[in-house]
Coordinates of all heavy atoms in Angstrom, one line a residue:
Chain B
R54 N -137.0 181.3 -10.6 CA -136.7 180.9 -9.3 C -136.8 179.3 -9.2 O -137.3 178.6 -10.0 CB -138.0 181.4 -8.2 CG -138.1 182.9 -8.3 CD -136.9 183.6 -8.0 NE -136.2 183.0 -6.7 CZ -135.0 183.5 -6.4 NH1 -134.4 184.5 -7.0 NH2 -134.4 183.2 -5.3
A301 N -171.0 176.2 -6.6 CA -170.7 175.3 -7.7 C -170.4 174.0 -7.1 O -170.8 172.9 -7.8 CB -169.4 175.9 -8.5
L360 N -151.6 160.9 11.4 CA -151.2 162.2 11.5 C -149.8 162.4 12.3 O -149.1 163.3 12.3 CB -152.2 163.2 12.1 CG -153.2 163.8 11.2 CD1 -152.7 165.0 10.3 CD2 -154.0 162.8 10.3
L474 N -165.8 205.3 -32.9 CA -164.4 205.2 -32.6 C -163.5 206.0 -33.6 O -163.7 205.8 -34.9 CB -164.1 203.7 -32.8 CG -162.6 203.3 -32.3 CD1 -162.4 203.6 -30.8 CD2 -162.2 201.9 -32.6

Side-chain angles (χ1 to χ4, degrees):
Chain B
R54 300 309 309 172
L360 275 288
L474 184 67

